[in-house]
Amino acid sequence: MSRSGIVVVGSLNADLTIYTERLPQPGETVHGNGFAVNPGGKSANQAVAASKLGGNVTLIGAVGDDANGTMLLESTAGAGVDVSRVRRCDTATGVAVISVDARGENSIIISAGANGTLVPADVDFAAFRDAAVVCLCLEVGIDTVVAAAQAGHDAGATVLLNLSPYAEVPELLAGLADVLLVNAHEAALFLGSEAGIPDPDAAVEAWEPVRSRFADRGLQRVLVTLGAQGSVVLDSLALGGQLTRIAPTQVSAVDTTGAGDAFTGAVAARLAAGDSLVAAASFASVAAALAATKKGTQAAYPTLEQVEAAQPFPN
């Protein structure tokens, strides 16, 4: 049976974003120059990104029975995501308080709200039967993430685990991850401070010790994002490994909030379409860069046509 579906399990947040010339230091107050309330949450963002890029996406999560919950359901459904498995509850919808400076850099504080009510019982195996990719992050309880990873594994899907926001994860979850997606900081935490993550501009050969450490942890495929310096794909690690450096896509960033989620959603969409991890990462580099050229998250995410117009990719 041919599989093409994407199941995203995790968080939906209302993003409360204020724009400012620079981010405040501890104890400092600075003036803002704009405020917006937008749909967000890592999992909702990843689902919308994947759907706008042609993916057939189902989202499993929880929102409150409030205005923010309604906004999130309308936004994700409006992007073509199946939200029939997003549960409404009497706990307030999760929120993220975001500050964005003039360079597009951000700082974020999240409050779980309804996301904290998502439990393994919400992970219905029936949702995974046609899944090619299961997309996970760590904005909901770890037991729920493990349950979703196990369901994806049992269904024969590729389990894509975005180790963000970073937390220590059980070996079972790491073992269920077919693709681990981390930034350089998360990679160093996962492997231990002695791992020696190379500088972003280092040659790809400098990643060989990192490849070995990931292989020692039982990982087979890892994608390390390096922000404006692109990413590194570490594939077939147990067989000696393929190390591929993905060049960044140069843009003038306006707001980097959610660009990492755009990248993750794009990887999920292309893996579900049958691309290799290298091809998926190359495509995702363009999608994430385009997302950073506009304010906000989901509304800033590009369509498949926009990414292909920016840089064509082979089928």
Side-chain angles (χ1 to χ4, degrees):
M1 180 181 66
S2 175
R3 297 171 179 270
S4 60
I6 300 166
V7 178
V8 183
V9 181
S11 58
L12 301 91
N13 287 328
D15 286 349
L16 313 181
T17 305
I18 189 165
Y19 297 92
T20 180
E21 280 299 307
R22 61 180 180 85
L23 301 177
Q25 298 296 315
E28 181 185 20
T29 300
V30 298
H31 286 283
N33 52 33
F35 176 75
V37 180
N38 291 308
K42 294 189 71 65
S43 299
N45 289 347
Q46 292 165 10
V48 168
S51 183
K52 293 178 76 170
L53 294 169
N56 176 21
V57 185
T58 297
L59 177 60
I60 298 175
V63 295
D65 189 14
D66 52 24
N68 285 336
T70 300
M71 173 188 68
L72 284 159
L73 291 174
E74 290 178 348
S75 174
T76 47
V81 176
D82 179 354
V83 296
S84 61
R85 296 177 185 275
V86 177
R87 175 171 50 78
R88 301 199 78 157
C89 64
D90 58 5
T91 302
T93 298
V95 297
V97 179
I98 306 169
S99 301
V100 181
D101 71 12
R103 299 175 301 165
E105 296 295 334
N106 62 72
S107 64
I108 304 173
I109 301 173
I110 60 173
S111 176
N115 296 313
T117 73
L118 197 68
V119 295
D122 291 307
V123 179
D124 182 358
F125 183 78
F128 296 79
R129 288 173 180 159
D130 296 326
V133 175
V134 173
C135 190
L136 306 171
C137 71
L138 301 182
E139 280 192 341
V140 295
I142 199 68
D143 290 347
T144 304
V145 179
V146 171
Q150 187 68 63
H153 173 79
D154 292 346
T158 294
V159 177
L160 171 61
L161 175 61
N162 179 206
L163 210 60
S164 177
Y166 184 80
E168 294 292 334
V169 296
E171 288 300 317
L172 172 60
L173 179 56
L176 290 169
D178 296 294
V179 178
L180 185 72
L181 197 160
V182 289
N183 62 27
H185 177 66
E186 292 156 357
L189 291 172
F190 180 76
L191 295 176
S193 59
E194 72 278 11
I197 301 300
D199 292 333
D201 58 354
V204 70
E205 292 79 12
W207 286 83
E208 176 58 30
V210 178
R211 182 206 66 78
S212 297
R213 290 293 302 278
F214 276 120
D216 290 344
R217 292 289 301 268
L219 277 298
Q220 293 301 310
R221 293 190 288 172
V222 179
L223 179 50
V224 183
T225 59
L226 304 172
Q229 281 72 43
S231 60
V232 176
V233 177
L234 301 93
D235 207 348
S236 303
L237 300 185
L239 301 176
Q242 173 190 7
L243 302 175
T244 306
R245 186 66 184 264
I246 306 298
T249 300
Q250 301 295 338
V251 295
S252 296
V254 172
D255 184 357
T256 60
T257 307
D261 297 330
F263 186 97
T264 303
V267 170
R270 295 318 304 166
L271 290 179
D275 280 4
S276 69
L277 187 56
V278 169
S282 297
F283 179 94
S285 175
V286 180
L290 292 177
T293 63
K294 299 177 181 179
K295 288 184 177 181
T297 53
Q298 295 176 18
Y301 292 165
T303 64
L304 178 61
E305 293 75 20
Q306 288 170 329
V307 176
E308 290 178 337
Q311 182 172 338
F313 291 87
N315 293 326

